[in-house]
Amino acid sequence: MSSSTTPATATAAEATGARTDEAASLIGDARERIDALDDRIIGLVQERMAVSAVIQEARISSGGRRVNLSREMEILSRYRDALGKPGTPLAMTLLELCRGRV
């Protein structure tokens, strides 16, 4: 995109980096789907955080620790097995979001 072309005035092809209008349309549609999926993923992560808080509260109020390391290792393994090596840092990020301040 040239410096004189703003996103508001860019053609669909320029906005997507595609070289044809057909490809730009396909990319635009796919990006809308990704945005919808991202919204669902964010909602699920927020739901996971809330459920995790309930678990932590129950564990702490019963005299246990906030974090169950063996359970975290299960989660790390599950994500790694399902998604390969990049699954581990994804799981670590989820665990960090869900465990709150340790």
Side-chain angles (χ1 to χ4, degrees):
M1 193 179 316
S2 71
S3 60
S4 64
T5 305
T6 63
T9 62
T11 66
E14 289 171 329
T16 62
R19 302 233 178 206
T20 67
D21 288 338
E22 181 181 349
S25 177
L26 184 124
I27 292 167
D29 292 345
R31 284 181 176 173
E32 286 180 19
R33 180 76 174 124
I34 285 174
D35 290 344
L37 289 166
D38 284 343
D39 289 342
R40 288 174 49 199
I41 291 167
I42 290 166
L44 289 169
V45 170
Q46 290 170 332
E47 183 178 350
R48 189 187 194 288
M49 291 167 67
V51 172
S52 183
V54 169
I55 292 168
Q56 289 175 44
E57 185 177 323
R59 191 181 300 121
I60 291 168
S61 67
S62 70
R65 294 180 176 203
R66 169 177 279 212
V67 176
N68 181 332
L69 294 178
S70 64
R71 174 66 176 150
E72 288 196 357
M73 294 306 294
E74 290 174 20
I75 293 166
L76 290 169
S77 178
R78 181 178 183 188
Y79 275 75
R80 183 183 59 249
D81 291 347
L83 302 173
K85 187 177 178 182
T88 301
L90 176 59
M92 287 297 296
T93 298
L94 280 171
L95 290 170
E96 183 179 341
L97 284 167
C98 292
R99 72 169 78 102
R101 300 182 88 188
V102 178

Short mmCIF file of all heavy atoms in Angstrom, two decimals, residues 19-56:
data_model
loop_
_atom_site.label_atom_id
_atom_site.label_comp_id
_atom_site.label_asym_id
_atom_site.label_seq_id
_atom_site.Cartn_x
_atom_site.Cartn_y
_atom_site.Cartn_z
N ARG A 19 -3.43 -10.06 -5.07
CA ARG A 19 -3.14 -9.47 -6.38
C ARG A 19 -4.35 -9.45 -7.30
O ARG A 19 -4.31 -8.85 -8.37
CB ARG A 19 -2.00 -10.22 -7.04
CG ARG A 19 -0.75 -10.20 -6.19
CD ARG A 19 0.38 -9.71 -6.98
NE ARG A 19 1.56 -9.65 -6.12
CZ ARG A 19 2.54 -8.84 -6.35
NH1 ARG A 19 2.49 -8.03 -7.37
NH2 ARG A 19 3.58 -8.83 -5.56
N THR A 20 -5.43 -10.13 -6.87
CA THR A 20 -6.65 -10.12 -7.68
C THR A 20 -7.84 -9.85 -6.76
O THR A 20 -7.80 -10.11 -5.56
CB THR A 20 -6.88 -11.46 -8.39
OG1 THR A 20 -7.15 -12.47 -7.40
CG2 THR A 20 -5.69 -11.86 -9.25
N ASP A 21 -8.92 -9.34 -7.37
CA ASP A 21 -10.12 -9.09 -6.60
C ASP A 21 -10.73 -10.40 -6.08
O ASP A 21 -11.29 -10.44 -4.98
CB ASP A 21 -11.15 -8.33 -7.42
CG ASP A 21 -10.76 -6.87 -7.65
OD1 ASP A 21 -9.95 -6.35 -6.85
OD2 ASP A 21 -11.26 -6.28 -8.62
N GLU A 22 -10.61 -11.47 -6.86
CA GLU A 22 -11.14 -12.78 -6.43
C GLU A 22 -10.42 -13.26 -5.16
O GLU A 22 -11.05 -13.69 -4.20
CB GLU A 22 -10.97 -13.80 -7.55
CG GLU A 22 -11.51 -15.17 -7.20
CD GLU A 22 -11.30 -16.18 -8.32
OE1 GLU A 22 -10.93 -15.78 -9.44
OE2 GLU A 22 -11.52 -17.36 -8.05
N ALA A 23 -9.09 -13.16 -5.17
CA ALA A 23 -8.31 -13.57 -4.00
C ALA A 23 -8.62 -12.65 -2.82
O ALA A 23 -8.74 -13.10 -1.68
CB ALA A 23 -6.82 -13.56 -4.31
N ALA A 24 -8.78 -11.36 -3.09
CA ALA A 24 -9.09 -10.41 -2.03
C ALA A 24 -10.42 -10.73 -1.38
O ALA A 24 -10.57 -10.65 -0.15
CB ALA A 24 -9.09 -8.98 -2.57
N SER A 25 -11.40 -11.12 -2.19
CA SER A 25 -12.71 -11.49 -1.66
C SER A 25 -12.61 -12.73 -0.79
O SER A 25 -13.18 -12.77 0.32
CB SER A 25 -13.69 -11.73 -2.83
OG SER A 25 -14.94 -12.15 -2.33
N LEU A 26 -11.88 -13.72 -1.26
CA LEU A 26 -11.69 -14.95 -0.48
C LEU A 26 -10.99 -14.63 0.85
O LEU A 26 -11.41 -15.11 1.90
CB LEU A 26 -10.86 -15.95 -1.28
CG LEU A 26 -10.70 -17.29 -0.59
CD1 LEU A 26 -11.21 -18.40 -1.49
CD2 LEU A 26 -9.26 -17.52 -0.23
N ILE A 27 -9.95 -13.82 0.78
CA ILE A 27 -9.21 -13.44 2.00
C ILE A 27 -10.11 -12.66 2.94
O ILE A 27 -10.12 -12.91 4.16
CB ILE A 27 -7.95 -12.65 1.64
CG1 ILE A 27 -6.93 -13.57 0.93
CG2 ILE A 27 -7.33 -12.00 2.87
CD1 ILE A 27 -5.79 -12.82 0.27
N GLY A 28 -10.88 -11.73 2.41
CA GLY A 28 -11.79 -10.95 3.25
C GLY A 28 -12.79 -11.83 3.98
O GLY A 28 -13.03 -11.66 5.18
N ASP A 29 -13.37 -12.78 3.24
CA ASP A 29 -14.33 -13.71 3.86
C ASP A 29 -13.65 -14.57 4.93
O ASP A 29 -14.20 -14.79 6.01
CB ASP A 29 -14.96 -14.62 2.80
CG ASP A 29 -15.88 -13.87 1.85
OD1 ASP A 29 -16.26 -12.71 2.15
OD2 ASP A 29 -16.21 -14.45 0.79
N ALA A 30 -12.45 -15.05 4.62
CA ALA A 30 -11.72 -15.89 5.57
C ALA A 30 -11.34 -15.08 6.82
O ALA A 30 -11.39 -15.59 7.94
CB ALA A 30 -10.48 -16.50 4.92
N ARG A 31 -10.97 -13.82 6.63
CA ARG A 31 -10.63 -12.98 7.79
C ARG A 31 -11.83 -12.74 8.68
O ARG A 31 -11.71 -12.71 9.91
CB ARG A 31 -10.05 -11.64 7.32
CG ARG A 31 -8.63 -11.75 6.85
CD ARG A 31 -8.09 -10.41 6.42
NE ARG A 31 -6.68 -10.51 6.06
CZ ARG A 31 -6.00 -9.52 5.53
NH1 ARG A 31 -6.58 -8.34 5.31
NH2 ARG A 31 -4.73 -9.68 5.22
N GLU A 32 -13.01 -12.59 8.06
CA GLU A 32 -14.23 -12.45 8.87
C GLU A 32 -14.45 -13.71 9.71
O GLU A 32 -14.83 -13.62 10.87
CB GLU A 32 -15.44 -12.18 7.97
CG GLU A 32 -15.48 -10.78 7.41
CD GLU A 32 -16.69 -10.54 6.52
OE1 GLU A 32 -17.68 -11.30 6.62
OE2 GLU A 32 -16.65 -9.58 5.73
N ARG A 33 -14.22 -14.85 9.11
CA ARG A 33 -14.37 -16.14 9.84
C ARG A 33 -13.35 -16.22 10.98
O ARG A 33 -13.69 -16.65 12.08
CB ARG A 33 -14.20 -17.29 8.85
CG ARG A 33 -14.33 -18.65 9.47
CD ARG A 33 -15.78 -19.01 9.76
NE ARG A 33 -15.83 -20.39 10.21
CZ ARG A 33 -16.36 -20.75 11.35
NH1 ARG A 33 -16.91 -19.88 12.15
NH2 ARG A 33 -16.34 -22.00 11.72
N ILE A 34 -12.11 -15.81 10.70
CA ILE A 34 -11.08 -15.81 11.75
C ILE A 34 -11.47 -14.88 12.88
O ILE A 34 -11.32 -15.22 14.05
CB ILE A 34 -9.70 -15.46 11.15
CG1 ILE A 34 -9.15 -16.65 10.38
CG2 ILE A 34 -8.72 -15.02 12.25
CD1 ILE A 34 -7.86 -16.38 9.63
N ASP A 35 -11.99 -13.69 12.53
CA ASP A 35 -12.41 -12.76 13.58
C ASP A 35 -13.51 -13.36 14.44
O ASP A 35 -13.51 -13.22 15.67
CB ASP A 35 -12.89 -11.44 12.96
CG ASP A 35 -11.74 -10.62 12.37
OD1 ASP A 35 -10.56 -10.90 12.67
OD2 ASP A 35 -12.04 -9.68 11.60
N ALA A 36 -14.45 -14.06 13.81
CA ALA A 36 -15.53 -14.72 14.56
C ALA A 36 -14.96 -15.83 15.45
O ALA A 36 -15.37 -15.98 16.61
CB ALA A 36 -16.58 -15.28 13.61
N LEU A 37 -14.02 -16.60 14.91
CA LEU A 37 -13.38 -17.64 15.72
C LEU A 37 -12.61 -17.04 16.88
O LEU A 37 -12.68 -17.55 18.01
CB LEU A 37 -12.45 -18.49 14.85
CG LEU A 37 -13.15 -19.41 13.84
CD1 LEU A 37 -12.15 -19.94 12.82
CD2 LEU A 37 -13.86 -20.54 14.56
N ASP A 38 -11.89 -15.96 16.63
CA ASP A 38 -11.15 -15.30 17.70
C ASP A 38 -12.09 -14.82 18.80
O ASP A 38 -11.78 -14.95 19.99
CB ASP A 38 -10.32 -14.13 17.16
CG ASP A 38 -9.07 -14.58 16.43
OD1 ASP A 38 -8.66 -15.75 16.58
OD2 ASP A 38 -8.50 -13.75 15.69
N ASP A 39 -13.24 -14.27 18.42
CA ASP A 39 -14.22 -13.85 19.42
C ASP A 39 -14.67 -15.03 20.27
O ASP A 39 -14.80 -14.92 21.50
CB ASP A 39 -15.44 -13.19 18.76
CG ASP A 39 -15.13 -11.82 18.17
OD1 ASP A 39 -14.09 -11.21 18.53
OD2 ASP A 39 -15.93 -11.36 17.33
N ARG A 40 -14.90 -16.17 19.63
CA ARG A 40 -15.31 -17.37 20.38
C ARG A 40 -14.18 -17.85 21.29
O ARG A 40 -14.42 -18.25 22.43
CB ARG A 40 -15.73 -18.47 19.42
CG ARG A 40 -17.06 -18.18 18.75
CD ARG A 40 -17.46 -19.16 17.67
NE ARG A 40 -17.34 -20.55 18.07
CZ ARG A 40 -17.28 -21.54 17.19
NH1 ARG A 40 -17.33 -21.31 15.90
NH2 ARG A 40 -17.18 -22.79 17.61
N ILE A 41 -12.95 -17.85 20.77
CA ILE A 41 -11.80 -18.29 21.57
C ILE A 41 -11.64 -17.40 22.79
O ILE A 41 -11.45 -17.89 23.91
CB ILE A 41 -10.52 -18.32 20.71
CG1 ILE A 41 -10.60 -19.44 19.68
CG2 ILE A 41 -9.28 -18.46 21.59
CD1 ILE A 41 -9.54 -19.36 18.59
N ILE A 42 -11.75 -16.08 22.60
CA ILE A 42 -11.62 -15.16 23.73
C ILE A 42 -12.71 -15.44 24.76
O ILE A 42 -12.45 -15.49 25.97
CB ILE A 42 -11.66 -13.70 23.24
CG1 ILE A 42 -10.38 -13.38 22.47
CG2 ILE A 42 -11.86 -12.73 24.41
CD1 ILE A 42 -10.44 -12.09 21.66
N GLY A 43 -13.93 -15.66 24.29
CA GLY A 43 -15.03 -15.98 25.21
C GLY A 43 -14.77 -17.27 25.96
O GLY A 43 -15.03 -17.36 27.17
N LEU A 44 -14.24 -18.27 25.29
CA LEU A 44 -13.93 -19.54 25.94
C LEU A 44 -12.80 -19.38 26.96
O LEU A 44 -12.84 -19.99 28.04
CB LEU A 44 -13.58 -20.61 24.91
CG LEU A 44 -14.74 -21.11 24.07
CD1 LEU A 44 -14.24 -21.95 22.90
CD2 LEU A 44 -15.73 -21.89 24.93
N VAL A 45 -11.80 -18.59 26.63
CA VAL A 45 -10.71 -18.35 27.58
C VAL A 45 -11.25 -17.64 28.81
O VAL A 45 -10.91 -18.00 29.95
CB VAL A 45 -9.56 -17.54 26.93
CG1 VAL A 45 -8.56 -17.08 27.97
CG2 VAL A 45 -8.86 -18.37 25.86
N GLN A 46 -12.12 -16.67 28.61
CA GLN A 46 -12.72 -15.98 29.77
C GLN A 46 -13.56 -16.93 30.61
O GLN A 46 -13.52 -16.89 31.84
CB GLN A 46 -13.56 -14.78 29.29
CG GLN A 46 -12.70 -13.67 28.73
CD GLN A 46 -13.50 -12.59 28.03
OE1 GLN A 46 -14.59 -12.83 27.48
NE2 GLN A 46 -12.97 -11.38 28.04
N GLU A 47 -14.28 -17.83 29.96
CA GLU A 47 -15.05 -18.83 30.69
C GLU A 47 -14.12 -19.77 31.45
O GLU A 47 -14.37 -20.12 32.60
CB GLU A 47 -15.92 -19.63 29.71
CG GLU A 47 -16.80 -20.65 30.37
CD GLU A 47 -17.69 -21.40 29.38
OE1 GLU A 47 -17.77 -21.01 28.20
OE2 GLU A 47 -18.31 -22.40 29.81
N ARG A 48 -13.01 -20.17 30.81
CA ARG A 48 -12.03 -21.04 31.47
C ARG A 48 -11.44 -20.35 32.69
O ARG A 48 -11.21 -20.98 33.72
CB ARG A 48 -10.93 -21.41 30.47
CG ARG A 48 -9.99 -22.48 30.98
CD ARG A 48 -8.82 -22.68 30.01
NE ARG A 48 -8.07 -23.89 30.24
CZ ARG A 48 -7.26 -24.08 31.28
NH1 ARG A 48 -7.09 -23.14 32.19
NH2 ARG A 48 -6.61 -25.23 31.41
N MET A 49 -11.18 -19.05 32.57
CA MET A 49 -10.64 -18.30 33.70
C MET A 49 -11.62 -18.32 34.88
O MET A 49 -11.22 -18.50 36.03
CB MET A 49 -10.33 -16.86 33.28
CG MET A 49 -9.16 -16.75 32.32
SD MET A 49 -9.01 -15.12 31.53
CE MET A 49 -8.60 -14.10 32.96
N ALA A 50 -12.90 -18.15 34.60
CA ALA A 50 -13.91 -18.14 35.65
C ALA A 50 -14.02 -19.51 36.32
O ALA A 50 -14.10 -19.61 37.55
CB ALA A 50 -15.26 -17.72 35.07
N VAL A 51 -14.01 -20.57 35.53
CA VAL A 51 -14.08 -21.93 36.08
C VAL A 51 -12.84 -22.22 36.91
O VAL A 51 -12.92 -22.80 38.01
CB VAL A 51 -14.28 -22.98 34.96
CG1 VAL A 51 -14.15 -24.39 35.50
CG2 VAL A 51 -15.62 -22.77 34.28
N SER A 52 -11.69 -21.81 36.42
CA SER A 52 -10.44 -22.00 37.15
C SER A 52 -10.47 -21.28 38.49
O SER A 52 -10.00 -21.82 39.50
CB SER A 52 -9.26 -21.51 36.31
OG SER A 52 -8.05 -21.76 36.97
N ALA A 53 -11.06 -20.09 38.52
CA ALA A 53 -11.16 -19.34 39.78
C ALA A 53 -12.01 -20.10 40.80
O ALA A 53 -11.69 -20.13 42.00
CB ALA A 53 -11.73 -17.95 39.52
N VAL A 54 -13.07 -20.73 40.34
CA VAL A 54 -13.93 -21.54 41.24
C VAL A 54 -13.13 -22.71 41.80
O VAL A 54 -13.18 -22.99 43.00
CB VAL A 54 -15.18 -22.04 40.48
CG1 VAL A 54 -15.93 -23.09 41.28
CG2 VAL A 54 -16.08 -20.88 40.11
N ILE A 55 -12.37 -23.38 40.94
CA ILE A 55 -11.55 -24.51 41.39
C ILE A 55 -10.51 -24.06 42.41
O ILE A 55 -10.34 -24.68 43.46
CB ILE A 55 -10.87 -25.19 40.18
CG1 ILE A 55 -11.92 -25.88 39.31
CG2 ILE A 55 -9.80 -26.19 40.63
CD1 ILE A 55 -11.40 -26.33 37.96
N GLN A 56 -9.83 -22.96 42.11
CA GLN A 56 -8.80 -22.45 43.02
C GLN A 56 -9.40 -22.06 44.37
O GLN A 56 -8.82 -22.37 45.41
CB GLN A 56 -8.10 -21.25 42.40
CG GLN A 56 -7.21 -21.61 41.23
CD GLN A 56 -6.62 -20.38 40.58
OE1 GLN A 56 -6.17 -19.47 41.26
NE2 GLN A 56 -6.61 -20.36 39.26
#
